[in-house]
Amino acid sequence: MRTYYCGEVRQQQIGETLTFWGWVDRRRDHGGVIFLDLRDRTGIIQIVSDPQRTPDSYEHAEALRNEYVVKVTGRVSQRPEESLNPKLPTGEVEVYADSIELLNAVRKQLPFQVSTADLEPVREDLRLKYRYLDLRRGRMSKNLQLRHQVVKAMRRYLEDQQGFIEVETPILTRSTPEGARDYLVPSRVNPSQWYALPQSPQLFKQLLMVSGLDRYYQIARCFRDEDLRADRQPEFTQLDMEMSFLSQEEILQLNEELIAYIFKTVKGIDLPIPFPRLTYAEAMEYYGSDKPDTRFGLKLVNLSQLLKDSGFKVFSGAIKAGGVVKVLPIPGGNAAISNVRIKPGGDLFKEATDAGAKGVAYVRVKAGGEIDTIGAIKDNLSDTQKQELLELTGAEDGHLLLFGAGPTEVVNKTLDRLRLVIGKELGLIDTTKNNLLWVTEFPMFEWNADQKRLEALHHPFTAPYPEDLHDLKTARAQAYDLVFNGYEIGGGSLRIYQQEIQQQVFEAIGLSPEEASNKFGFLLEAFEYGAPPHGGIAYGLDRLVMLLAGEESIRDVIAFPKTQQASCLLTDAPSGVDAKQLKELHVASTYKPKT
Ligand code: ASP
């Protein structure tokens, strides 16, 4: 029987004889005495085998190599002063091995050393191909255990304290309304018909509210066939929730408690609740982003009012065309950021143009409020305007002001990027902070320029604010996102449960009654049999765990992730299939390899 895991032994166990099962992390031969670091999922314990003290195990210890699987029984002893290891939780003890049993050797050359992989980066393709070895290492094993702790905390809070019920919803289903491309599965028994894998359980969870389930949650797998730029996965996991008869206020409060519970149980961190809130309009105004990182300042200032009649046509022209002029004031920016970086060819110029801007105008504030800038801006500012510029931006000696002028969207995107890059560079981000922020009152729709139509920003079942119903096109949605240190970790909304409003929303996004009934007829019909007011939210579990683990990629908190090309290097999925299988599925390929 296993008495202890390797990583759990402490001084209290000194004198006890214990048995461990695990892998040889490292084997060192110190002039006749052999030291083994024995590893299991909890960590490492040092095993000692010595020809004098433990002659029975010595021969076996000699034959061991890295990653061999062994069973070791031995006595826990205090380590001598000179070999204490404060870096290891077990670093005060070691185990004198009375017996070592080899359970399995390694028969092939290891593609990389597990024992050093935490310290010396291994190529990611190798890690993914030999994922089972990669997951043996401390860091990855800890990440999976953290993920488990997070899910466990979610379940404990939702089930035990709030009466949520977990329900599984179908994976083989119809298209769901999250707006990405579907993964499709051909039906063999229904020739030429297809299932879609769910992009989220959205429709089913709303149906469960019609069923009277009242409070639903699910640790749900979602599938979205998107181009995997950034850190996305074709399948990912959500904590998905839906609840009936709660107001937005009550939903936000319950979710604050949930998140605080997770932080407390998993990280021991006390999050102050309620979380701060910004409306979407405020977030865009002050940060140029709907997921602002509020761990640092550098807020944007809108100068449109001041500069609308400026003789500098870049400014006044942008405002006349319906756009804005905004500025990012950077204290100490004069010393830190050179002109070269802002002008064509510079890195900040590139950030701006990548965001769609034509360039960046700038002003340097000197002693006594003197301003130094390219002629065109200076020549077109009156003394009172200069004064007002300083007042609005709070700029003093040493401030650099970066300007964005043009369509609101482009200006926001540009200054948001510059703000993040510069905040990081100047060390303004306090990485010990855990800033949770609700962003509320999202617009119902955004303009899809390609298709020349309005599109639901969240999804078409999101309820507008009743007071905005007179002009649905500009209405605010009763939708909310939870932002953690600049990452969106969750989002949801109150739902429409009245048919007339649902019709209006479909109309606004150009969905005819036929199309609507074709796509979501079953849900609309269900709503005619007594739908309660309801709302919900979904969290991106992978991202949340990534942030809690301090990792930079969600691939590092998913056991078997896919690459940017959506393939699994371990199993070689996706793969070709037999012609016979395709035939049974009534599917033929139209693919012609490029010659
Ligand atoms: N289904 C939504 C999503 O995946 C979340 C929600 O509205 O509850 O983003």
Side-chain angles (χ1 to χ4, degrees):
M1 279 276 284
R2 187 203 307 272
T3 33
Y4 274 90
Y5 279 104
C6 297
E8 291 172 347
V9 189
R10 298 290 180 273
Q11 277 176 316
Q12 291 90 293
Q13 280 79 44
I14 287 175
E16 290 179 38
T17 295
L18 304 179
T19 297
F20 301 96
W21 272 262
W23 285 260
V24 176
D25 191 64
R26 268 185 338 137
R27 171 186 166 285
R28 282 161 292 144
D29 196 334
H30 279 200
V33 180
I34 292 174
F35 291 92
L36 301 173
D37 284 344
L38 189 67
R39 178 197 341 108
D40 62 23
R41 72 176 199 203
T42 63
I44 281 175
I45 179 84
Q46 174 159 295
I47 310 284
V48 191
S49 183
D50 167 334
Q52 261 82 50
R53 277 182 72 173
T54 56
D56 290 349
S57 72
Y58 186 70
E59 206 177 306
H60 298 286
E62 259 196 317
L64 297 180
R65 295 295 174 267
N66 288 0
E67 303 310 319
Y68 281 23
V69 188
V70 291
K71 173 184 174 187
V72 177
T73 300
R75 250 167 101 85
V76 182
S77 312
Q78 171 70 40
R79 285 201 199 191
E81 194 72 38
E82 65 280 7
S83 66
L84 293 175
N85 184 352
K87 281 192 220 126
L88 274 187
T90 59
E92 290 187 290
V93 295
E94 56 193 1
V95 173
Y96 273 84
D98 296 323
S99 75
I100 294 178
E101 194 182 326
L102 174 62
L103 301 175
N104 213 346
V106 172
R107 284 156 225 285
K108 295 183 75 172
Q109 164 114 41
L110 289 166
F112 55 86
Q113 287 299 333
V114 175
S115 59
T116 53
D118 276 353
L119 304 168
E120 296 162 14
V122 177
R123 270 181 19 224
E124 198 180 23
D125 57 337
L126 267 190
R127 293 177 46 205
L128 293 176
K129 180 161 164 57
Y130 299 96
R131 189 61 158 181
Y132 40 87
L133 292 180
D134 192 40
L135 295 180
R136 276 187 199 167
R137 46 199 275 239
R139 184 175 127 203
M140 295 302 289
S141 173
K142 278 207 197 81
N143 287 351
L144 290 190
Q145 294 179 54
L146 177 80
R147 185 181 177 110
H148 161 71
Q149 295 300 340
V150 171
V151 171
K152 186 168 154 185
M154 289 169 168
R155 293 187 189 285
R156 289 292 61 80
Y157 177 76
L158 292 175
E159 294 176 3
D160 302 350
Q161 301 199 21
Q162 292 291 347
F164 278 73
I165 294 174
E166 181 164 25
V167 180
E168 291 160 87
T169 52
I171 296 292
L172 294 176
T173 179
R174 281 180 75 103
S175 196
T176 47
E178 307 292 346
R181 196 178 289 114
D182 286 323
Y183 276 99
L184 297 174
V185 179
S187 166
R188 179 180 57 84
V189 290
N190 303 286
S192 98
Q193 307 221 305
W194 302 73
Y195 303 98
L197 304 185
Q199 294 184 30
S200 83
Q202 186 63 35
L203 302 174
F204 288 104
K205 69 174 174 173
Q206 293 195 238
L207 289 171
L208 288 171
M209 294 303 105
V210 180
S211 309
L213 205 87
D214 199 63
R215 292 182 172 201
Y216 143 96
Y217 89 97
Q218 182 180 193
I219 306 296
R221 198 68 59 84
C222 304
F223 306 85
R224 296 182 193 179
D225 187 4
E226 292 175 297
D227 292 328
L228 304 181
R229 12 154 213 109
D231 197 18
R232 297 254 179 95
Q233 285 283 310
E235 54 179 303
F236 60 96
T237 307
Q238 286 185 342
L239 164 62
D240 191 43
M241 298 161 59
E242 195 75 9
M243 55 235 103
S244 295
F245 306 116
L246 292 187
S247 66
Q248 173 167 324
E249 216 42 59
E250 290 164 322
I251 291 178
L252 297 191
Q253 196 189 329
L254 188 151
N255 277 276
E256 286 171 348
E257 281 169 20
L258 164 70
I259 296 294
Y261 183 88
I262 296 169
F263 272 75
K264 183 71 186 168
T265 15
V266 174
K267 303 284 280 188
I269 294 172
D270 284 298
L271 285 182
I273 47 178
F275 300 154
R277 291 187 197 180
L278 287 176
T279 64
Y280 173 87
E282 289 165 341
M284 296 310 283
E285 181 72 359
Y286 301 130
Y287 299 95
S289 164
D290 61 0
K291 46 175 166 43
D293 188 342
T294 54
R295 287 174 301 171
F296 66 107
L298 293 191
K299 285 194 196 172
L300 312 183
V301 179
N302 194 328
L303 297 178
S304 303
Q305 200 50 37
L306 176 70
L307 298 172
K308 63 183 191 315
D309 302 316
S310 167
F312 186 40
K313 289 284 171 286
V314 174
F315 289 168
S316 51
I319 298 162
K320 288 206 178 80
V324 285
V325 178
K326 286 170 87 168
V327 69
L328 172 68
I330 307 157
N334 275 351
I337 295 164
S338 66
N339 287 355
V340 182
R341 300 183 54 195
I342 313 171
K343 289 182 172 166
D347 63 318
L348 297 178
F349 181 86
K350 183 164 188 309
E351 287 292 341
T353 47
D354 284 353
K358 295 205 178 75
V360 193
Y362 63 93
V363 160
R364 292 183 184 279
V365 181
K366 299 278 164 83
E370 200 47 45
I371 72 171
D372 182 12
T373 174
I374 50 164
I377 298 183
K378 193 146 105 183
D379 301 344
N380 285 295
L381 282 179
S382 68
D383 281 346
T384 38
Q385 278 178 323
K386 267 186 215 162
Q387 201 46 44
E388 226 176 302
L389 172 68
L390 294 176
E391 272 164 29
L392 287 170
T393 58
E396 293 168 355
D397 184 16
H399 260 75
L400 169 67
L401 307 179
L402 296 181
F403 284 75
T408 312
E409 242 181 67
V410 176
V411 170
N412 281 336
K413 195 167 165 200
T414 306
L415 295 183
D416 169 38
R417 275 175 89 138
L418 292 173
R419 176 178 175 271
L420 291 175
V421 171
I422 292 167
K424 204 167 182 183
E425 176 184 320
L426 300 186
L428 302 177
I429 305 177
D430 179 351
T431 49
T432 63
K433 279 190 179 164
N434 293 293
N435 277 19
L436 277 298
L437 169 79
W438 288 114
V439 177
T440 60
E441 299 181 29
F442 278 79
M444 282 291 285
F445 306 110
E446 69 185 341
W447 181 248
N448 181 327
D450 290 342
Q451 298 177 14
K452 296 208 169 39
R453 62 174 188 90
L454 288 178
E455 208 168 53
L457 196 68
H458 190 49
H459 48 60
F461 306 110
T462 294
Y465 275 90
E467 59 267 37
D468 292 359
L469 273 174
H470 59 273
D471 184 7
L472 205 51
K473 289 192 167 52
T474 61
R476 293 162 305 148
Q478 301 191 63
Y480 32 80
D481 274 1
L482 188 61
V483 179
F484 173 32
N485 290 348
Y487 287 87
E488 183 213 318
I489 56 165
S493 61
L494 293 197
R495 323 299 185 189
I496 300 168
Y497 63 99
Q498 289 144 317
Q499 220 208 347
E500 317 76 70
I501 301 175
Q502 189 65 69
Q503 291 304 348
Q504 289 174 35
V505 168
F506 284 151
E507 234 165 75
I509 58 174
L511 206 62
S512 70
E514 296 73 46
E515 285 167 317
S517 127
N518 193 11
K519 279 184 142 164
F520 317 117
F522 58 98
L523 182 72
L524 303 176
E525 187 182 10
F527 279 5
E528 297 193 55
Y529 293 103
H534 59 288
I537 190 166
Y539 293 94
L541 179 70
D542 310 296
R543 203 180 277 169
L544 176 61
V545 175
M546 173 191 95
L547 294 168
L548 291 171
E551 291 290 358
E552 293 196 339
S553 165
I554 59 170
R555 293 191 295 280
D556 286 334
V557 298
I558 296 174
F560 300 105
K562 297 193 173 50
T563 64
Q564 299 268 317
Q565 280 71 47
S567 53
C568 171
L569 298 182
L570 172 62
T571 63
D572 254 339
S575 64
V577 294
D578 288 347
K580 180 166 171 281
Q581 282 176 296
L582 285 181
K583 197 159 174 244
E584 279 173 350
L585 292 169
H586 323 282
V587 170
S589 174
T590 60
Y591 177 65
K592 291 201 182 58
K594 285 199 192 89
T595 44

